[in-house]
Structures are given as structure tokens and as C-alpha cells.
Amino acid sequence: MNNAELYEGNNNLQKRDALDCLEEFADKMMWKRSGDRIIDIGCGDGSVTVDLLKEFIPENFELLLGCDVSEKMVTFANVHHKNERTSFTVLDIAGRLPEELRSNFNHAFSFYTFHWIKDQEAAFNNMFDLLVEGGQCLLTLLGHNPVFDVYRILAESNKWGCWLHGVERFISPYHDSQYPEQEIRKLMKKIGFTDIVVTCQEKSFIYDSPEAVKKAVQAVNPFSMPKEVFDDFMIDYLNVVRDMNLIDEVNNNKPASVRSIYKLIVVFGTK
Ligand SMILES: C[S@@+](CC[C@H](N)C(=O)[O-])C[C@H]1O[C@@H](n2cnc3c(N)ncnc32)[C@H](O)[C@@H]1O
């Protein structure tokens, strides 16, 4: 999950969902006349930050700061996207927040990142602390996703158990939740957020071939394995996906398309 080039070329699903969310909440965003300071938490390669998010913020913003726990991602984002008002820095949103970042941003965004974090309270608390009074946050994160079931099934097998050791670390804290919206709303209320909106939306995405799935899985694969092992892993991965009836085999000699149906949690709140 550290390979920025690979992620940049295989994040169509994440980009589509970030765009949907930005469009849905565009009217709720309260921008200043000038000088907005914006942070994008878990910016990855930086393409969502500059290609999508930047389109939604007023031109006269003061600072757009992308942050990510991965040094490699931050380096890539700085090399490709940095300019006078846009830059990228290493930050673990569940870790200790540097003093200079506290109460510093009018808006905090985060796309496809919070489901990687086990300590949800620390992450939401830090996001609150990053904001000025009246500051707003907007996030997407995964809830239930069959991908996590595939990981669990393979982790139980003798063949993949050792490669997928500690699999639960990489499963969304909301994968098994019946009412993730309620859990998140309760947590945000406790922290002090107001004007809270949390929805759990059913989404679907069609990959036009198993090869496209392979690249998308590889781009976010949290398990470290050599390439030849990963190729073998993906054969078994796709067999499990087939058993789950998610592969459309009837396709007139074209490669079979693969359906992904998952729950996306969208979160909005004000400090
Ligand atoms: C799937 S990528 C999303 C990138 C981008 N936001 C997008 O929508 O395309 C998730 C990113 O979250 C980062 N991440 C994971 N845990 C994090 C943490 N505790 N603090 C900050 N970033 C984190 C990962 O390094 C990765 O770059």
C-alpha cells in the first residue's frame, strides 16, 4: 500500500467515490471569502487532493496540505504536485498531533483512509483538534466490503495463513457493524462535533476484467509478499470471489467482469 505509481494508475473506484461525496456535500461547505486552510488526511499519491478536491475549493485558498502516514506517498505527492500553496507532509492521524497543526484548518477532508485506522477515537479526536472553531470535516471510509471476507477466508487457509498474518489489522472497524452510522455519530458527538451527518451508502463498481481487479487489489494490498507469491495469491483470491458469485462469466469472449458491492460511509461534521 506504499506504491504511489501503482495506486495512481488503479484508483478509479476511490476517485469516483471522492467525487460523488464532494458533489453531494458541496452545498454544505462554508468557505471564507479568502484564505481558507484545508487539510487532506491520508492523501496517498496526492492525485485526489489536487485533481478532485482542489476543484471544489475557492481559488483564493491560503493552504492545501495533504498528509499521510506513508513517507513514500508523501515524497511522491510532493515531487508531482507541490506548489506555493499546496504541499504534503507525513502525519499519522491516530498518533501525536504536532502543536503547530492544532486549530489550524477551516476544512479537513479524508477519502478512503479512516477504515485503515483501528483507534477511531484517536483519529476523530485529532481531526477535531486540527480544525478551528466552526471548521468542517468531510470523510469517506469503507464499511462492509466483501474484500475483507476474502482476506479472512484466505487467512484461515494453511497456504495463506502466514502471509496474511494479523489480517484483522487491515479490516475496516465497521465491516461487521450493523449500524456503523450510529457508532460514528455517537463518537463524534462525544468528541464535540455538531451538525453531524453520517450515512452508510451501498455502492457498486464493475471491474471490466480480472486483471483490473488484480491491479486494484495490488494497489492497496497491505500484506507484504514477493511478486510471484502475489500472482499465486490473486489466483486463489479470484477463486474465492468466483465462489461468492461476484464474477460475471458470460461475456461473449471478452474477459469476465467482476462486481464489487460494498458499503461506503460518508461523514460530515462541524467543530
Ligand atoms: C486508499 S489510500 C487513499 C488515498 C487518497 N485519499 C484517495 O482517496 O485516493 C489510503 C491512504 O491512507 C494512508 N493512511 C493509512 N493510515 C493512516 C494514518 N493513520 N494516518 C494518515 N494516513 C494514513 C495510507 O498510507 C494511504 O496512502
Side-chain angles (χ1 to χ4, degrees):
M1 166 83 256
N2 256 335
N3 186 333
E5 283 94 349
L6 185 69
Y7 184 75
E8 188 187 38
N10 295 285
N11 62 350
N12 288 341
L13 176 151
Q14 289 91 337
K15 280 191 159 162
R16 183 204 63 182
D17 287 350
L19 192 58
D20 285 355
C21 163
L22 285 163
E23 281 171 351
E24 185 184 342
F25 282 85
D27 289 349
K28 272 188 94 64
M29 288 293 156
M30 306 281 284
W31 300 104
K32 297 204 297 179
R33 285 223 179 103
S34 70
D36 272 292
R37 296 172 64 82
I38 299 131
I39 187 161
D40 181 19
I41 302 162
C43 59
D45 63 306
S47 58
V48 165
T49 319
V50 296
D51 297 342
L52 300 182
L53 177 55
K54 209 168 181 175
E55 295 298 308
F56 281 80
I57 64 185
E59 266 179 31
N60 51 6
F61 70 90
E62 183 182 316
L63 170 72
L64 175 56
L65 181 68
C67 68
D68 201 286
V69 73
S70 157
E71 272 190 48
K72 280 191 182 165
M73 288 290 193
V74 168
T75 303
F76 180 95
N78 272 322
V79 167
H80 290 86
H81 303 298
K82 185 175 173 165
N83 62 35
E84 324 78 65
R85 292 182 296 159
T86 304
S87 61
F88 300 86
T89 191
V90 175
L91 177 74
D92 176 359
I93 192 60
R96 229 187 114 257
L97 208 59
E99 276 311 310
E100 66 276 14
L101 294 185
R102 287 176 186 272
S103 304
N104 207 348
F105 297 92
N106 308 100
H107 297 274
F109 292 89
S110 181
F111 302 108
Y112 268 87
T113 295
F114 268 50
H115 57 266
W116 289 100
I117 299 167
K118 282 289 156 217
D119 191 346
Q120 289 286 297
E121 186 159 355
F124 273 93
N125 253 317
N126 278 340
M127 191 170 59
F128 187 82
D129 289 344
L130 286 168
L131 291 168
V132 299
E133 288 295 323
Q136 299 173 309
C137 67
L138 180 61
L139 294 79
T140 62
L141 64 153
L142 279 173
H144 185 272
N145 190 331
V147 163
F148 299 129
D149 293 324
V150 179
Y151 283 164
R152 274 184 181 156
I153 290 167
L154 292 172
E156 274 175 18
S157 69
N158 287 339
K159 183 171 170 189
W160 295 110
C162 61
W163 291 103
L164 270 59
H165 181 70
V167 65
E168 291 301 321
R169 275 180 300 145
F170 304 113
I171 288 179
S172 167
Y174 305 105
H175 177 62
D176 301 310
S177 302
Q178 216 181 343
Y179 302 110
E181 316 88 301
Q182 293 179 11
E183 282 177 46
I184 295 175
R185 205 174 296 124
K186 191 171 163 201
L187 173 62
M188 290 177 76
K189 250 185 168 171
K190 177 177 149 195
I191 290 170
F193 281 101
T194 57
D195 193 18
I196 302 165
V197 181
V198 188
T199 57
C200 185
Q201 312 176 353
E202 181 157 302
K203 295 275 211 180
S204 71
F205 190 85
I206 310 279
Y207 294 94
D208 55 16
S209 66
E211 191 54 31
V213 179
K214 185 174 170 182
K215 286 195 178 139
V217 171
Q218 192 176 16
V220 294
N221 180 20
F223 309 106
S224 119
M225 46 180 85
K227 184 178 173 320
E228 58 286 3
V229 175
F230 180 77
D231 290 342
D232 189 22
F233 172 71
M234 278 312 297
I235 293 172
D236 290 358
Y237 181 103
L238 286 166
N239 282 335
V240 176
V241 171
R242 190 170 286 109
D243 290 345
M244 292 165 99
N245 289 322
L246 294 176
I247 297 192
D248 173 17
E249 305 279 8
V250 192
N251 226 337
N252 303 331
N253 297 331
K254 283 192 273 165
S257 58
V258 180
R259 262 173 298 127
S260 174
I261 296 172
Y262 56 96
K263 297 272 176 68
L264 186 73
I265 304 170
V266 179
V267 178
F268 175 88
T270 302
K271 177 167 173 177

